[in-house]
Every structure is written in structure tokens, then in C-alpha cells.
Amino acid sequence: MAETAPPLGAQHSAASVTCVKKLSESPDLNSIPSCYAYYTNPAETMASDHHDSIPTIDLSLLTSDNPDHRSKAIQDLDKACEEWGFFMVVNHGIPEQLMRAVIDVADEFFNLPEEEKPEFQPQNVLEPIRYGTSFNTAKEKVFWWRDFLKVFVHPQFHSPHKPQSLREVVMEYCKRSREVVRKLLKGISESLGIEESEMEKSLGLNSSLQIFVANLYPRCPNPDAAVGVAPHSDHGLFTLLIQNQVAGLHIQHKGNWVHVTPRPNSILVNTADHLEIFSNGKYKSVLHRAVVNNMKARISIAVANGPSADTVVSPAPHLLRTQDCRPAYVPMKYKDYLLTQQGSQLNGKSSLRQVQIQD
Ligand code: OGA
Ligand code: NI
């Protein structure tokens, strides 16, 4: 049970909130403060062991010279995006060592003394380097059991100065991630029947906004009564996620929560809101959440890959023309969408619903 007198974060002003890492290290913490008490709806069920059927995409087939292999891979990608909004990518070309290095350097970052980290809880949600806790403590009644570092890494690269190797490792990992995303988007453009160049132009992909997010989920004394990240969809096109050896990601599939146990050396990919908008609802963004545990701290690296910040995104005109259908979403500048989403309390797909046209 959660304590009744919350020692931290009770006023919900950014200044009074501490990072969860520090809280979890308090020597006599036997239960969580009540401002972290998060109860899941008991009616929401976990799927039984469903994870074997989570789709896998072999990126080397998607870019193969063999047309049969390629068209099969494109079909698989289309199906994975349409039926799951989630898949594991293998043969992605990112060295395992680099994936490990980026997780290690995030761990090092979180272990720095607080005074060596960037400002905690900056007010502006579009600031290029943000270090904080939960999601938006100024707006939330219940906090999430996670600390984060969010850095804008493309089209302009930013990085905290410490730890020393962070800049180089993150730069390389994010560059490689963009290559993966470009290949996935090329596959998507083919399955939607849209010229690649048209998609690039409509989404401003040459100056795509890429955000590096490192999440730390410290051990939690009441893991069943707290949440790492509450159910939400991501704002961009595709999010790429890797983690240390600790599980915790759940995705929603056919109304059930499915545990994700990644294949070794794979990258987890989920479809996000702007892919849903661009595809006029063909590829729905997937709801996902992160749970916590009382055994071992979990670190995940989520790289959000979106359109360019100044692009006004709307359902692809080509789709509306060829399928003779009406747009299901109103056009909105990606930056404005981000401001709305990041500036509020994150709640399921509520940001997307604001641009959805109801018939
Ligand atoms: C995110 C997110 C899940 C995880 O950062 O948007 O959904 O498993 N993270 O860390
Ligand atoms: Ni997410």
C-alpha cells in the first residue's frame, strides 16, 4: 500500500519534485509515496503468452536486390504496421556493441551527481536538452516511476557535456537509427503506393526531427501500485527502442496488454501518431506502457523519429485521391502537435483525438 503522507512531489510544483532515482535510493523506503500510486484497471487483461507472435522484420530483406524477397518483406512490414503497430527489427545493421554503449552511457549519465546534469525539469517542452522525471510534473496528479533525458539530435545535434563519451555514442547511434527509419519509410511508401520522393517532401524528411530519449526506471518497492510510463502513443512516425536486459514494455494488441520479450540484438519499433495521420488511419499508432519491478533498474533508449518540426502534416493527398476517401485528420504543424502533447498530461491517444475528424 502507498503511504498516506507523501514526502515528495506533493505540491506538484516542478521545484518540489525529486528524481525517482534518488527516491529509490532512500535507505528506508518501504513503500512508494502516494503521489506515485497508480492503479491499473483490473478489467484490462494481460494476454497469455502472445509474444511469440509479435512480428519480426528482417531489414536486410527489405533492402534486398532480390525483388521477391523485397516484396515479401514489404508485405510483412505492411501487415505488422496494420495489425500490430509494433515489430522487432533484426539484421538492422547497427552493431551490438554500439547498442550496448548507448545503454551504458545513459546509465553513466543517470549516475552523475545531480549538479553535473543539465537543469532538472526545464519549463519549455521544446528545449533541446531536457532532464526530468515522470512526464510533465506541472500537469500531473500521479507521477510515473521514471527519470528521463530527452535530447533533440536532428536536424541539429545537441548533447549534454557529460559523461564525456555521451556525445559521440549518441550521435552515432542516432545516425544509424535514422538509416533504419529511412529504410522502413521507403518500405511504407511502397506499400502505400506513394513515390518515395513525394513522401520525403510531404514529411520534410531531410530535416526530420529526431529525439533521443533515455529512460531510467529504478527499482520500485511497490511495482504493482506504480507505473513507469502510463499508456500512450508516441507523437512521431516510428519510435525505435532498445533496453538493458530488464523487461517492462507492454503493448496493446486486440484489447490486451502484451509483454514484450525482445529477441537478442533486435530493435523494437512502434508506429506513432504521425504515421497514422499520414496514412489516413491505415497504420494506427500503438498504445504502449512501461511497468516497473522491485528487482533491478531498467534502462530503455527510445529514439523518436518524426517529420520535420515545421511540416504541416496531413493524410497523404495521393491516398485520398487514389482511394477516393475523405481525410480523417485535420492538418497540423508537427511542432504544434508536439507542443500540445508534451505540454499536457499524457493520456492514451488523447492528442491524436484532437486532430481526428469524427463522422
Ligand atoms: C517512451 C516509452 C517505453 C519503455 O519513452 O515513449 O514508451 O519501455 N518508453 O521505456
Ligand atoms: Ni512511448
Side-chain angles (χ1 to χ4, degrees):
M1 271 277 108
E3 283 171 15
T4 42
L8 295 158
Q11 300 310 310
H12 297 185
S13 77
S16 67
V17 184
T18 315
C19 61
V20 199
K21 178 172 185 293
K22 203 157 154 190
L23 182 59
S24 74
E25 286 165 358
S26 355
D28 47 355
L29 186 79
N30 300 316
S31 63
I32 56 171
S34 63
C35 55
Y36 292 93
Y38 179 95
Y39 294 97
T40 33
N41 179 355
E44 287 180 348
T45 47
M46 287 301 296
S48 45
D49 209 2
H50 221 4
H51 83 257
D52 280 350
S53 47
I54 291 177
T56 298
I57 298 296
D58 184 333
L59 203 68
S60 68
L61 296 182
L62 199 60
T63 50
S64 161
D65 291 336
N66 180 323
D68 293 340
H69 289 173
R70 268 200 54 210
S71 69
K72 167 79 171 54
I74 289 170
Q75 271 175 31
D76 289 348
L77 177 66
D78 172 67
K79 198 159 169 246
C81 292
E82 205 166 340
E83 292 179 4
W84 284 81
F86 187 81
F87 49 92
M88 307 187 191
V89 176
V90 296
N91 294 326
H92 43 69
I94 303 187
E96 203 173 343
Q97 204 184 350
L98 181 59
M99 291 164 61
R100 264 203 303 269
V102 78
I103 292 167
D104 288 348
V105 84
D107 191 17
E108 258 184 79
F109 170 84
F110 288 117
N111 278 315
L112 289 173
E114 286 307 301
E115 59 277 14
E116 291 183 30
K117 292 179 189 164
E119 183 196 343
F120 191 64
Q121 305 276 350
Q123 293 302 309
N124 180 350
V125 295
L126 289 184
E127 238 168 76
I129 301 178
R130 281 177 294 151
Y131 163 54
T133 192
S134 191
F135 179 74
N136 186 338
T137 51
K139 296 279 159 71
E140 292 160 329
K141 294 193 180 66
V142 175
F143 296 159
W144 302 351
W145 196 262
R146 91 140 174 191
D147 297 330
F148 65 80
L149 170 67
K150 298 187 183 184
V151 187
F152 286 18
V153 288
H154 192 263
Q156 256 182 315
F157 182 80
H158 300 267
S159 171
H161 298 298
K162 288 185 178 177
Q164 212 206 337
S165 62
L166 186 127
R167 182 183 180 86
E168 196 187 330
V169 171
V170 169
M171 188 187 276
E172 183 62 19
Y173 179 71
C174 291
K175 186 175 133 233
R176 299 290 197 112
S177 300
R178 287 198 297 281
E179 286 163 11
V180 172
V181 171
R182 280 307 263 260
K183 289 173 185 167
L184 294 174
L185 286 175
K186 188 169 176 350
I188 290 292
S189 76
E190 286 198 37
S191 70
L192 292 178
I194 298 174
E195 284 289 326
E196 196 188 355
S197 58
E198 191 189 322
M199 184 186 219
E200 272 176 19
K201 214 166 108 210
S202 311
L203 296 171
L205 293 180
N206 286 332
S207 47
S208 61
L209 182 64
Q210 189 184 38
I211 310 175
F212 170 88
V213 182
N215 295 304
L216 170 70
Y217 305 97
R219 290 174 47 185
C220 176
N222 308 103
D224 297 332
V227 73
V229 171
H232 69 284
S233 58
D234 294 343
H235 47 72
L237 295 162
F238 280 119
T239 303
L240 269 48
L241 189 130
I242 58 173
Q243 61 181 30
N244 62 355
Q245 300 300 309
V246 185
L249 176 66
H250 292 169
I251 54 162
Q252 202 169 75
H253 180 64
K254 296 190 173 152
N256 289 319
W257 287 108
V258 179
H259 254 295
V260 179
T261 317
R263 288 175 183 241
N265 201 19
S266 66
I267 297 179
L268 307 175
V269 179
N270 67 268
T271 56
D273 295 346
H274 277 75
L275 191 67
E276 176 167 338
I277 297 169
F278 186 72
S279 68
N280 203 32
K282 181 176 200 275
Y283 302 129
K284 302 264 190 301
S285 59
V286 71
L287 273 180
H288 54 287
R289 69 182 183 192
V291 296
V292 292
N293 75 80
N294 60 6
M295 307 287 286
K296 205 167 180 298
R298 173 167 182 256
I299 289 181
S300 72
I301 306 293
V303 178
N305 298 275
S308 85
D310 290 317
T311 300
V312 176
V313 183
S314 57
H318 179 86
L319 284 183
L320 304 180
R321 234 176 10 251
T322 52
Q323 297 176 1
D324 194 23
C325 55
R326 283 186 302 179
Y329 306 84
V330 291
M332 188 168 186
K333 192 185 270 192
Y334 182 43
K335 190 198 276 174
D336 294 336
Y337 190 93
L338 262 179
L339 270 171
T340 311
Q341 195 228 33
Q342 303 271 304
S344 48
Q345 188 180 339
L346 196 55
N347 177 17
K349 291 179 74 161
S350 58
S351 305
L352 191 67
R353 242 170 259 126
Q354 288 176 24
V355 295
Q356 218 157 0
I357 300 170
Q358 315 289 343
D359 334 271

